[in-house]
Amino acid sequence: MKKADVIIIGGGAAGFFTAINAAEKNPNQKIIILERGKEVLTKVRISGGGRCNVTHAEFIPRDLSQNYPRGEKELLGPFHTFMTGDTIEWFEKHGVELKTEEDGRMFPVSNSSESIINCFLFETRRLSVDVLLNQSVKEIQKVDDSFLITTTSDNFSAEKIVVATGSNPKIWKLLEGLGHTIIPAVPSLFTFNITDERIKDLAGIATNARIKIPKGRDVLENNGSLLITHWGMSGPAILKLSAWGARTLESLKYQFEIEVNWLENISEEEVLDELKSLKVNFGKQTILKHSQFELPKRLWQSLIKATGISDTLTWAEATRENLQNIANQLTAGIFQVDGKSTFKEEFVTAGGVDLKEVNFKTFESKVCENLYFAGEVLNIDAITGGFNFQNAWTGGFIVSQNLSSPDPSQGGD
């Protein structure tokens, strides 16, 4: 039986950050990280295309929390304790300088996730944190004031444990055995598969648009950059919609209609007025040939063809019905979604430990004393852009400060 003060299950971002901060606060603690795989920090290594999107340049707690479809309310308090500015300061203090890109994402100046990995490995060695590989956890028991953990090869005991395993169904099952409720996991952050003549040969074209799902009880709507792909639609507007609608879209079995306003915030009535003005002022101009509303030319032409008007029709020749059809196609085009696509390295799920069962001042379980959580093992997930890592840093830091509070009955040892 190997004993420790704290055992952290999961050798990922949240697990390492928890361990390092706990060891810095109280160097006398014996801390062990158990990793089921043969290497640690695998998600850190591949995130952001190998650059590691560490966090996002959002410095107001409430604004930051609004990037979490699940966890927005619960993370608001924790973000007042540790958020983006603290993350930047922490990494700089530990030898990793970050930079901000135009879209707000923050990466190591080195443009390599190895900077983060090397930092974490160096710190765990410096602080004498034991990192054990190939330790797949099979059982977690609470016996008196200790946790007994059985892995494929060893037995461990500790007074406090931290679960930082991300979306791991086997660990969720063990947590159910300790009294926790698990919200079933469904995919989040995915692209839409759409087969439609209007976008068939337009892969690579991007424009700002507003997307909404016109049917169903939950009104789902989002705007931003939309990217046409070989398999359908992607880009931030689609990914955000998929995140906020993760459970609704799963219930629809990923078969549903979306309404696309290719002009984002311009209404159908405003478009119709502009088209009438074009009819008066540019009567001789061929409708198909000249793109309007700053739309990419090939997209404009494809949408115009979808209205059924001839290639040679001029604005002067356009009927009221023609103009109405164009306005409708530009602002309220209906597309049928038939399935989803996810990218394995960016795969995110909605689901995990029920947030009602966690004290977010400490990230400790409300149903099992001295059991803590950090990262995506909880029913918390974010949109793309460094927010999921920020959840890991915030949770890990707060857990670490509570793990290392000396027990008065033990005289601070």
Side-chain angles (χ1 to χ4, degrees):
M1 179 76 70
K2 297 179 180 177
K3 294 187 176 182
D5 296 306
V6 178
I7 288 178
I8 297 169
I9 304 172
F16 267 78
F17 204 71
T18 304
I20 292 165
N21 282 286
E24 285 184 333
K25 187 168 174 64
N26 187 348
N28 294 324
Q29 288 185 120
K30 180 167 178 56
I31 300 172
I32 297 175
I33 295 175
L34 301 180
E35 166 56 41
R36 66 174 174 169
K38 58 185 179 183
E39 56 183 284
V40 293
L41 300 163
T42 52
K43 196 168 182 180
V44 170
R45 177 168 279 111
I46 60 178
S47 80
R51 295 196 297 148
C52 189
N53 186 183
V54 175
T55 187
H56 201 95
E58 178 54 77
F59 299 96
I60 299 171
R62 185 166 296 281
D63 292 348
L64 179 61
S65 72
Q66 289 172 356
N67 293 285
Y68 297 82
R70 270 110 350 227
E72 177 180 349
K73 177 168 65 77
E74 291 80 6
L75 287 174
L76 183 56
F79 284 155
H80 279 88
T81 299
F82 191 94
M83 60 170 289
T84 314
D86 305 294
T87 299
I88 296 166
E89 184 181 353
W90 191 95
F91 278 103
E92 285 187 355
K93 180 183 169 186
H94 291 81
V96 181
E97 190 179 348
L98 304 181
K99 61 173 181 175
T100 307
E101 302 205 335
E102 280 186 22
D103 59 4
R105 292 181 302 160
M106 299 194 72
F107 295 89
V109 168
S110 66
N111 272 330
S112 172
S113 57
E114 294 301 321
S115 296
I116 306 297
I117 293 169
N118 291 339
C119 167
F120 284 175
L121 293 177
F122 173 81
E123 291 300 329
T124 49
R125 284 194 297 269
R126 180 178 72 85
L127 296 161
S128 300
V129 173
D130 288 343
V131 180
L132 306 182
L133 305 178
N134 300 306
Q135 295 285 349
S136 182
V137 173
K138 298 300 180 187
E139 191 175 13
I140 304 173
Q141 292 177 286
K142 184 80 185 284
V143 179
D144 298 325
D145 293 330
S146 293
F147 289 93
L148 304 181
I149 298 172
T150 305
T151 71
T152 41
S153 58
D154 288 292
N155 295 304
F156 299 86
S157 73
E159 289 180 14
K160 299 180 181 182
I161 65 169
V162 183
V163 181
T165 48
S167 302
N168 185 325
K170 291 179 181 176
I171 296 296
W172 281 332
K173 195 74 180 168
L174 296 180
L175 291 173
E176 280 185 319
L178 293 172
H180 272 284
T181 305
I182 304 300
I183 307 299
V186 299
S188 181
L189 287 184
F190 48 84
T191 62
F192 295 171
N193 296 349
I194 299 171
T195 302
D196 192 292
E197 283 296 318
R198 289 168 290 178
I199 60 171
K200 184 180 176 184
D201 298 313
L202 302 182
I205 286 179
T207 187
N208 280 356
R210 180 169 291 276
I211 322 293
K212 70 176 178 181
I213 298 175
K215 295 179 182 176
R217 286 178 307 168
D218 299 314
V219 177
L220 294 171
E221 190 171 6
N222 218 305
N223 66 306
S225 179
L226 183 153
L227 173 67
I228 299 173
T229 68
H230 291 291
W231 58 88
M233 294 182 188
S234 183
I238 296 290
L239 292 171
K240 287 179 184 178
L241 194 68
S242 79
W244 260 272
R247 296 210 168 273
T248 299
L249 302 185
E250 191 271 341
S251 72
L252 297 172
K253 305 303 177 196
Y254 309 106
Q255 308 285 327
F256 54 92
E257 289 182 341
I258 59 170
E259 182 181 295
V260 180
N261 182 343
W262 295 100
L263 307 180
E264 194 171 16
N265 295 316
I266 304 177
S267 70
E268 188 169 343
E269 293 74 20
E270 290 171 318
V271 171
L272 201 52
D273 288 342
E274 180 64 24
L275 297 181
K276 289 173 182 174
S277 175
L278 289 168
K279 181 177 171 70
V280 171
N281 298 315
F282 296 90
K284 294 181 181 180
Q285 199 176 83
T286 306
I287 296 174
L288 186 72
K289 195 171 182 182
H290 300 278
S291 175
Q292 306 295 332
F293 304 100
E294 299 182 0
L295 273 182
K297 187 173 183 179
R298 287 167 57 218
L299 176 60
W300 167 264
Q301 291 176 336
S302 183
L303 295 174
I304 294 300
K305 286 178 181 177
T307 67
I309 68 175
S310 72
D311 293 0
T312 57
L313 191 75
T314 63
W315 285 112
E317 296 166 338
T319 65
R320 182 183 296 228
E321 185 182 5
N322 290 147
L323 298 182
Q324 184 62 60
N325 288 343
I326 293 171
N328 182 261
Q329 195 64 244
L330 291 173
T331 62
I334 301 295
F335 293 80
Q336 178 64 44
V337 176
D338 182 22
K340 61 174 173 53
S341 294
T342 51
F343 302 100
K344 192 174 181 183
E345 67 271 16
E346 299 293 347
F347 188 64
V348 173
T349 59
V353 175
D354 192 330
L355 304 186
K356 294 194 292 289
E357 299 172 353
V358 179
N359 175 0
F360 280 92
K361 290 181 178 177
T362 60
F363 282 74
E364 183 179 9
S365 165
K366 290 180 180 178
V367 300
C368 184
E369 190 179 3
N370 289 328
L371 166 62
Y372 295 81
F373 303 104
E376 292 174 50
V377 67
L378 294 166
N379 183 28
I380 291 177
D381 62 285
I383 62 173
T384 185
F387 301 105
N388 280 304
F389 274 134
Q390 184 56 55
N391 169 44
W393 313 139
T394 295
F397 181 83
I398 291 175
V399 168
S400 75
Q401 302 309 288
N402 287 280
L403 287 176
S404 49
S405 298
D407 184 344
S409 67
Q410 296 181 6
D413 290 335

